[in-house]
Amino acid sequence: MQKVALVTGAGRGIGRKICLELAENGYDIAGVDILLDQDNKDKGLPEVQQRVEGFDKKFLPIQADIAYLNNHPKILDSTLEKFGRIDVLVNNAGVAPEKRIDILETTPESYDRVLSINTRGAFFLTQKIAKHMIQQVGEETNSKSCIIFISSISVYVSSPSRPEYCISKAALSAAAKIFADRLAAYGINVYEVRPGIIQTDMTASVKEKYDKLIAEGLIPQKRWGLPKDVARAVASLARGDFAYSTGLVVEVSGGMHIQRL
Ligand SMILES: NC(=O)c1ccc[n+]([C@@H]2O[C@H](COP(=O)([O-])OP(=O)(O)OC[C@H]3O[C@@H](n4cnc5c(N)ncnc54)[C@H](O)[C@@H]3O)[C@@H](O)[C@H]2O)c1
């Protein structure tokens, strides 16, 4: 049976690499992104589509803002229409605050924006896809589905200049744990992948700052993380390498969780 993965934030960065890694691992992919320029084949979803098809796998580009819950039926329905099933959901889409501002000045607008995408959008999309997965598991013997949340080390690291991001990821981590608990009865495993400092467009504006911190030893494994580091962890979870470990948190941060003296 041809397996299918639904990946949000698929047009660039970590999400793009997750699509390619899963395609290489044999999945057809539905890739969701807020941006879609069909005329530009060099970037975004059209570029990812070409790369996925290079692995002889199918790719469905879906333009949708996951923050708007009324987009979620379109995401589910168009994926089912094209592929007939969903085996893996990767909640990857996420944003940083537009401006880094001290916690004493955080605006309600930025707080709501970040949480509506990173947390609320991912939570309700998962709720919708999980209900489909429950139905799918009920109809098939030996069916295995899984859901993966891309959180961040910001779950436990304090960044006073972007508290709304840290809060959004801490709440997402809680959502991953609770879905893991609830869905275990159906054989649907739920995991959290917690990236550290990963070289993507999201971190481009703070590259110099992080280059310096890394050179000074912030990360035990003394290098930037790459989208591939995260994508390989996701592929391993999707493949079932951690089949008896629902609720597992996989940190991909070069050891940033190690407290040092
Ligand atoms: N880069 C890092 O250092 C880092 C570290 C920890 C966690 N993360 C998390 O990994 C995920 C991917 O990050 P990235 O670095 O690849 O970011 P990125 O900004 O390079 O890519 C994010 C993608 O998500 C899409 N997107 C944004 N808002 C969306 C929405 N509302 N609906 C649908 N798509 C939307 C964007 O268009 C973009 O293609 C995010 O959840 C981020 O918080 C990143």
Side-chain angles (χ1 to χ4, degrees), residues 1-5 17-29 52 55-57 88 228 231-241:
M1 183 193 326
Q2 177 57 51
K3 297 210 163 201
V4 177
K17 204 66 185 174
I18 290 170
C19 291
L20 304 189
E21 194 72 28
L22 290 178
E24 204 173 350
N25 276 264
Y27 288 82
D28 285 339
I29 313 281
V52 166
F55 292 112
D56 258 346
K57 291 295 145 204
V88 177
K228 188 169 183 72
R232 287 175 68 176
V234 167
S236 171
L237 294 167
R239 247 193 334 259
D241 293 352

Side-chain angles (χ1 to χ4, degrees), residues 31-131:
V32 178
D33 208 285
I34 192 170
L35 301 173
L36 173 59
D37 177 3
Q38 285 287 14
D39 296 332
N40 188 348
K41 304 286 181 216
D42 295 334
K43 61 185 267 201
L45 294 179
E47 188 268 346
V48 180
Q49 174 158 12
Q50 289 180 59
R51 296 288 302 273
V52 166
E53 288 172 356
F55 292 112
D56 258 346
K57 291 295 145 204
K58 296 194 182 82
F59 185 84
L60 174 69
I62 304 171
Q63 182 172 25
D65 181 343
I66 61 151
Y68 290 92
L69 307 195
N70 53 9
N71 285 333
H72 294 180
K74 169 175 110 175
I75 295 171
L76 175 65
D77 296 346
S78 57
T79 305
L80 292 181
E81 201 174 301
K82 171 89 174 168
F83 297 123
R85 57 185 298 107
I86 302 173
D87 299 282
V88 177
L89 166 64
V90 185
N91 285 303
N92 165 77
V95 292
E98 280 169 348
K99 275 194 215 139
R100 292 187 176 217
I101 303 177
D102 182 76
I103 187 168
L104 296 177
E105 307 298 335
T106 305
T107 64
E109 291 75 21
S110 179
Y111 186 98
D112 288 348
R113 171 180 170 269
V114 171
L115 269 92
S116 73
I117 299 169
N118 294 4
T119 313
R120 187 173 181 270
F123 178 88
F124 284 104
L125 182 63
T126 300
Q127 189 187 67
K128 186 151 208 74
I129 304 298
K131 284 181 181 168

Side-chain angles (χ1 to χ4, degrees), residues 8-15 32-35 64-67 91-96 117-118 150-153 165 169 194-203 210 224:
T8 67
R12 72 179 197 189
I14 294 170
V32 178
D33 208 285
I34 192 170
L35 301 173
D65 181 343
I66 61 151
N91 285 303
N92 165 77
V95 292
I117 299 169
N118 294 4
I150 308 299
S151 66
S152 167
I153 52 163
Y165 183 78
K169 293 297 187 179
R194 208 174 264 183
I197 298 176
I198 312 295
Q199 205 158 33
T200 68
D201 289 303
M202 183 183 271
T203 46
Y210 286 163
W224 281 80

